[in-house]
Amino acid sequence: MICNENDWFWGDTGRPIKLPIVELLLDEPTCWDLVYVMLNHLYNLCQAVDMFFESPNQCSIYDKKLSPIEWHFLQDFKVILEPLHRAQQSMSSESTPMLGHAVPAFERLLEDWKQVANSTLHCAPLINIGLTWAEKYDGRMSCTNAYAVVMCESLIFL
């Protein structure tokens, strides 16, 4: 477990910061969710990771330490994957997942991704690749009878 009992990690104010006590992550049910959770976890521990690479015992791997721009790229990937994470979480709540919730969650994902692309312009090219595929899938899905059945069923149970 990692914490800051010895005051090794300092904030921008020059004072020791409180780090969350964390443990190694277990596997997540979906690939993008696993990547999102791991990136989030890694980003929260960036000071500890940097300190690890800077320790004298790690001189043979110091060249693998992430640069500030690489940390920024990881943050960008986290921003890109966050709407996918929210969509996946909405479908795997404590209650029994219902097919009728899948379509609204998917439509919310598309809207969230568009919003992220508009607010984080440098991430837009990567998001637009995902949006192109998702919108193609959405177009095919909305042309099927199953789409109408699912939407009517979700309205009945609301």
Side-chain angles (χ1 to χ4, degrees):
M1 291 193 198
I2 297 175
C3 60
N4 197 19
E5 290 177 358
N6 298 325
D7 294 338
W8 290 342
F9 309 108
W10 298 75
D12 296 333
T13 62
R15 301 174 74 171
I17 59 172
K18 293 203 182 275
L19 289 177
I21 297 176
V22 296
E23 297 182 41
L24 292 176
L25 296 173
L26 298 175
D27 204 1
E28 292 290 321
T30 57
C31 184
W32 64 78
D33 210 36
L34 173 62
V35 172
Y36 172 80
V37 171
M38 289 175 65
L39 286 176
N40 194 39
H41 200 65
L42 179 64
Y43 197 78
N44 288 336
L45 296 172
C46 66
Q47 277 190 314
V49 171
D50 282 346
M51 187 173 206
F52 170 79
F53 278 99
E54 291 169 1
S55 71
N57 295 341
Q58 307 306 328
C59 62
S60 63
I61 60 168
Y62 179 78
D63 61 324
K64 307 293 187 233
K65 180 183 171 197
L66 296 175
S67 69
I69 192 76
E70 289 170 322
W71 280 111
H72 188 73
F73 283 138
L74 290 178
Q75 176 66 21
D76 288 344
F77 286 124
K78 193 176 91 138
V79 167
I80 292 168
L81 292 173
E82 190 166 358
L84 289 163
H85 172 71
R86 279 196 307 266
Q88 194 277 331
Q89 290 299 307
S90 73
M91 291 302 299
S92 64
S93 65
E94 293 294 322
S95 63
T96 304
M98 294 180 57
L99 185 57
H101 295 165
V103 174
F106 185 74
E107 290 173 348
R108 174 64 192 240
L109 166 65
L110 294 178
E111 291 305 313
D112 286 351
W113 249 356
K114 289 174 187 174
Q115 187 176 16
V116 171
N118 289 331
S119 65
T120 316
L121 296 178
H122 64 280
C123 294
L126 290 174
I127 294 170
N128 287 336
I129 293 169
L131 273 173
T132 299
W133 284 101
E135 287 171 342
K136 183 186 288 189
Y137 176 81
D138 189 43
R140 290 179 182 163
M141 181 176 62
S142 62
C143 293
T144 67
N145 293 335
Y147 181 82
V149 170
V150 167
M151 289 309 295
C152 289
E153 196 172 299
S154 67
L155 292 174
I156 291 170
F157 294 111
L158 287 179

